[in-house]
Amino acid sequence: MIKQTQIYYMSGTGNTRRVAHWFADVAREKGIPSEIYQITKHGRQPKVNTCSTNLLGILFPTHGFTAPWLIIRFVLSLPRGKGTQAFAVATRAGLKIGPVFTPGFEGTAVYLVALLLLLKGYNIRLLSGIDMVSNWLALHWGLSPANSRAIIDRNKPRALKMANILYSGGRYIRGQVQLVLGILLFQISLGYLLMGRFMLAKLFYANENCNGCGLCEKNCPTGSVKMRGWKKKRPFWSLTCESCMRCMGFCPKKAVEASHPLFAVMIYLISIPLSAYILYLFGQQVTWLTNLSGWARVIVNYVYSLSVITAAYFIFMLLMRIPLINRLLTYLTPVHYYRRYHEPDTKLKDFIE
């Protein structure tokens, strides 16, 4: 028997929030009190009630074929489960091309979260991915309103079916094939968590349409956007950004961009190990660097790569304050011409729950 449900979600543009509310609606229809909380880095989430009659839900988008670091950190911070029932749902990037609906791919996302929950003593009742509208606006244009609505309407019945099975006492475990494929792509997921997400975080900037309103800073779920500047404040993205696309999807001026040329520069800079640069500059005086053991060399080059990314982004943001350079690079990036997207029925104020 379930006496109470606590649902925690991570959502950038509203897709996962919508699914969380579908689950909560089914719980309430069955007379089960249901509370919904947004997972943020700096916000204070209410304490999870751990007992066998309570149900904990964790819903999140798929990043890099796995769970986002914000979710991994949140699950690691949970108290011991003591038999508390739990479920995990990963929203994944669905597309509609003409009449064809293409499925998304969650990889290891829900099973990674499930493993961490099991180790903490939670009783897993439901695991599944569900297609919602792909919102990776740094990669592709936002889907049209008609296609977005079609994907949502197509997958809502499936979400409601899962929720009804869950709240009726059943167990629903899916995604085994996705898990196998995700394990095969484990190196990509690990690379994303250790490096890729930092590079993607440092691609964002504001074009000349930015009026300094600060909505992106106020509404960033990870607190990664900071308004900086002397005469005119502009948003600056830190390494903690999860590329959730909220800033880009909800900016009223469509001022948030992601620079593809900067990404190419970063790839070039980190593709050459630090030892190669040092040896080129100082010659045989620093041959000790090439003699480092395997792990030591990996750590040194990892710190170097993060430092290079940070420095390149800092210089890039200084250049973006020059109107001519800002305008030129903005016109050269495809993102500037993309349609923006957020879940059709979600507004920024809806994330305050």
Side-chain angles (χ1 to χ4, degrees):
M1 181 180 294
I2 301 172
K3 293 185 177 179
Q4 181 190 28
T5 299
Q6 290 179 293
I7 298 177
Y8 294 80
Y9 73 86
M10 171 188 173
S11 184
T13 57
N15 287 333
T16 309
R17 178 186 176 275
R18 180 61 51 207
V19 178
H21 276 268
W22 290 340
F23 273 80
D25 290 343
V26 172
R28 291 165 185 155
E29 288 172 4
K30 293 183 177 294
I32 302 172
S34 184
E35 302 169 344
I36 300 181
Y37 309 106
Q38 181 187 187
I39 298 172
T40 62
K41 182 179 180 182
H42 302 295
R44 295 181 59 190
Q45 282 86 29
K47 183 179 178 180
V48 173
N49 297 323
T50 53
C51 69
S52 60
T53 58
N54 286 344
L55 177 66
L56 168 68
I58 301 177
L59 294 88
F60 53 92
T62 303
H63 287 187
F65 311 136
T66 193
W69 172 245
L70 181 66
I71 291 296
I72 296 172
R73 199 177 93 164
F74 173 77
V75 176
L76 290 173
S77 71
L78 290 174
R80 300 297 302 175
K82 302 176 183 178
T84 301
Q85 302 175 69
F87 71 96
V89 175
T91 53
R92 55 197 191 193
L95 294 170
K96 183 176 184 290
I97 304 173
V100 179
F101 292 87
T102 61
F105 178 61
E106 82 258 19
T108 57
V110 291
Y111 281 89
L112 174 58
V113 169
L115 175 61
L116 297 177
L117 289 172
L118 284 170
L119 292 174
K120 281 182 167 283
Y122 289 83
N123 174 20
I124 306 300
R125 293 278 311 284
L126 180 149
L127 294 177
S128 182
I130 187 165
D131 293 330
M132 290 294 279
V133 183
S134 178
N135 69 345
W136 195 4
L137 301 176
L139 178 66
H140 63 76
W141 56 87
L143 272 65
S144 69
N147 284 346
S148 298
R149 184 69 68 179
I151 293 172
I152 294 169
D153 291 345
R154 177 185 174 90
N155 288 282
K156 181 178 180 179
R158 180 167 177 248
L160 297 179
K161 176 183 176 181
M162 290 191 294
N164 273 291
I165 292 172
L166 175 66
Y167 291 113
S168 297
R171 197 177 296 270
Y172 190 94
I173 308 295
R174 296 292 186 274
Q176 292 88 345
V177 173
Q178 296 255 355
L179 171 63
V180 172
L181 295 175
I183 292 174
L184 294 175
L185 295 172
F186 170 75
Q187 288 183 319
I188 295 177
S189 297
L190 184 62
Y192 172 82
L193 290 172
L194 294 178
M195 181 59 67
R197 66 192 183 96
F198 299 123
M199 294 182 65
L200 293 173
K202 289 301 191 180
L203 299 183
F204 295 105
Y205 72 97
N207 64 32
E208 289 190 298
N209 293 333
C210 177
N211 61 3
C213 69
L215 278 176
C216 50
E217 178 185 45
K218 180 181 178 181
N219 292 280
C220 177
T222 57
S224 303
V225 183
K226 304 295 182 184
M227 300 300 293
R228 293 183 178 178
W230 298 277
K231 295 182 179 179
K232 182 178 180 181
K233 291 187 178 297
R234 292 282 187 90
F236 181 95
W237 282 260
S238 72
L239 285 172
T240 59
C241 169
E242 290 281 2
S243 296
C244 73
M245 302 298 159
R246 185 180 297 180
C247 54
M248 188 177 289
F250 283 98
C251 178
K253 295 293 185 179
K254 297 183 179 179
V256 179
E257 310 276 10
S259 176
H260 291 186
L262 177 60
F263 185 74
V265 170
M266 287 181 178
I267 290 291
Y268 172 75
L269 291 175
I270 68 173
S271 65
I272 303 176
L274 174 62
S275 56
Y277 283 118
I278 299 298
L279 286 173
Y280 175 76
L281 292 174
F282 300 103
Q284 297 302 313
Q285 302 174 38
V286 290
T287 52
W288 61 269
L289 190 59
T290 61
N291 296 325
L292 288 174
S293 62
W295 278 110
R297 186 179 300 179
V298 168
I299 293 172
V300 167
N301 282 310
Y302 181 68
V303 173
Y304 159 74
S305 296
L306 292 180
S307 300
V308 165
I309 290 170
T310 303
Y313 184 68
F314 181 78
I315 295 171
F316 175 79
M317 292 299 281
L318 289 177
L319 292 174
M320 287 301 98
R321 290 189 168 274
I322 302 173
L324 180 61
I325 296 178
N326 187 303
R327 194 176 304 120
L328 176 62
L329 287 181
T330 295
Y331 290 150
L332 287 176
T333 181
V335 176
H336 182 65
Y337 306 99
Y338 289 169
R339 181 192 297 115
R340 306 306 164 99
Y341 167 82
H342 61 77
E343 200 277 329
D345 298 321
T346 300
K347 298 178 174 60
L348 271 176
K349 64 179 182 180
D350 295 331
F351 289 100
I352 304 174
E353 306 196 79

